[in-house]
Amino acid sequence: MRHSTTPPEEKQLKTVLPVLSLLLLVSGAEAASVAPHRAIYDLTLLRANEGASLQSASGKLAFEIDGSSCDGYTVNFRMATKYHQPDGGVSVIDTLSTTYENGAATALRHQFKESVNGKVRDSDSIKVSRETAEAEGKGEMKSKPSEPFTVPSGAALPMQHQLKLMALSEAGGGRDSSIVFDGSDGAKSFRAISFVGKQRPPGSVARDSGNAAAAALKGVSSFPLTVSYYNLDGNAEMPEYQVSFDMYDNGVATGLVLDYGDFALSGTLTDLTFLDKPSCP
């Protein structure tokens, strides 16, 4: 991964939505068991390169999805992380977001707020609409009302992209390359390169067998997944960021790894609550 001196707060904000969209992976797949749920993870520092100027990190990630394929999905997300620098400095970064994507993949609404050490650093809302799931989209940001943007034709919204990866896993796994718009960097779309593993039988994730928070997953099959996000502009050899985890067929993720390039965080599932599943008419 590339080395950088970009502050952790700038990196965390850009990685929130990719994490968000990947945690949506099978929650909208009718072929799987749809399971609206709330999951909480403890975050710890997995790795820090010299250029990261980072001594330690810890935090919480909370994720909640509700809705259905007919009504669309609403996702609430919060990631709060404390970063300790070698010089004794501390940054507490708290990012909250709410995202809605309709079942037809023709509309996306996203709003977020990020605070650093208790002070709001950034906030915005984004809307995207298009006539069909494959058409060019029209987008706008509340912070830049006079600068509308377009989403490339053929680009996938988060849920649309993840259902594609789910189908790939069910077909035996493999590699996928897609243009994705998720709102993580304003008007920018990304090239997402994904490596999807084969479906594994229940009980195959040894890490979760001793985790009480994962007890409800014992009878559920899963598969490993890694997605790397590249800028569409230029010919970058290294991704902007990368996320990986084990995904269960009811939409619950465990073993999170959020790789920002010069440092990486790991996430351990500590609490899991299943919510009522809405039914489509």
Side-chain angles (χ1 to χ4, degrees):
M1 302 297 293
R2 64 187 177 88
H3 292 259
S4 169
T5 56
T6 305
E9 57 264 31
E10 294 186 16
K11 289 177 172 286
Q12 175 165 310
L13 177 59
K14 291 185 178 183
T15 308
V16 163
L17 268 179
V19 174
L20 229 176
S21 64
L22 286 169
L23 289 175
L24 285 170
L25 185 54
V26 297
S27 299
E30 295 304 329
S33 175
V34 181
H37 66 278
R38 182 185 306 112
I40 298 175
Y41 305 84
D42 277 350
L43 299 175
T44 57
L45 183 65
L46 179 65
R47 170 185 54 77
N49 298 339
E50 185 177 348
S53 297
L54 189 59
Q55 188 174 55
S56 65
S58 60
K60 293 278 188 181
L61 186 157
F63 167 85
E64 181 180 290
I65 179 170
D66 202 1
S68 66
S69 58
C70 50
D71 296 328
Y73 293 86
T74 298
V75 179
N76 294 305
F77 181 92
R78 184 172 187 179
M79 181 175 173
T81 315
K82 180 181 290 187
Y83 297 97
H84 294 263
Q85 285 80 39
D87 62 4
V90 177
S91 295
V92 179
I93 304 164
D94 191 355
T95 306
L96 300 92
S97 71
T98 297
T99 303
Y100 170 81
E101 182 179 339
N102 72 347
T106 58
L108 176 74
R109 298 195 302 268
H110 172 72
Q111 57 185 8
F112 71 87
K113 180 176 70 173
E114 184 189 58
S115 300
V116 179
N117 295 333
K119 297 182 179 180
V120 177
R121 178 181 181 272
D122 199 4
S123 63
D124 213 336
S125 60
I126 297 172
K127 294 181 180 180
V128 170
S129 62
R130 52 190 182 182
E131 293 184 359
T132 70
E134 299 298 324
E136 181 179 85
K138 298 180 179 179
E140 61 181 49
M141 299 175 64
K142 184 177 181 180
S143 63
K144 301 177 181 179
S146 62
E147 300 179 24
F149 62 91
T150 59
V151 174
S153 59
L157 298 182
M159 180 70 76
Q160 183 185 11
H161 177 228
Q162 307 318 320
L163 295 181
K164 180 181 180 182
L165 298 185
M166 179 60 188
L168 180 58
S169 175
E170 292 177 340
R175 179 184 182 276
D176 176 75
S177 177
S178 298
I179 296 176
V180 176
F181 177 83
D182 57 24
S184 63
D185 201 358
K188 292 178 63 176
S189 295
F190 290 87
R191 171 70 65 181
I193 306 295
S194 307
F195 291 91
V196 183
K198 296 180 180 180
Q199 291 279 330
R200 300 174 301 194
S204 298
V205 184
R207 175 191 60 251
D208 295 335
S209 62
N211 183 355
L217 305 175
K218 289 182 179 179
V220 186
S221 57
S222 64
F223 61 93
L225 175 65
T226 297
V227 182
S228 302
Y229 292 83
Y230 295 80
N231 281 323
L232 287 180
D233 301 330
N235 299 305
E237 296 183 358
M238 304 304 292
E240 287 292 293
Y241 38 77
Q242 183 180 82
V243 292
S244 61
F245 48 82
D246 292 302
M247 174 61 71
Y248 285 84
D249 283 352
N250 57 8
V252 178
T254 66
L256 303 182
V257 175
L258 318 180
D259 196 330
Y260 296 78
D262 48 14
F263 70 96
L265 302 176
S266 65
T268 300
L269 181 70
T270 57
D271 188 73
L272 175 62
T273 303
F274 289 101
L275 309 176
D276 292 337
K277 175 185 173 182
S279 58
C280 291

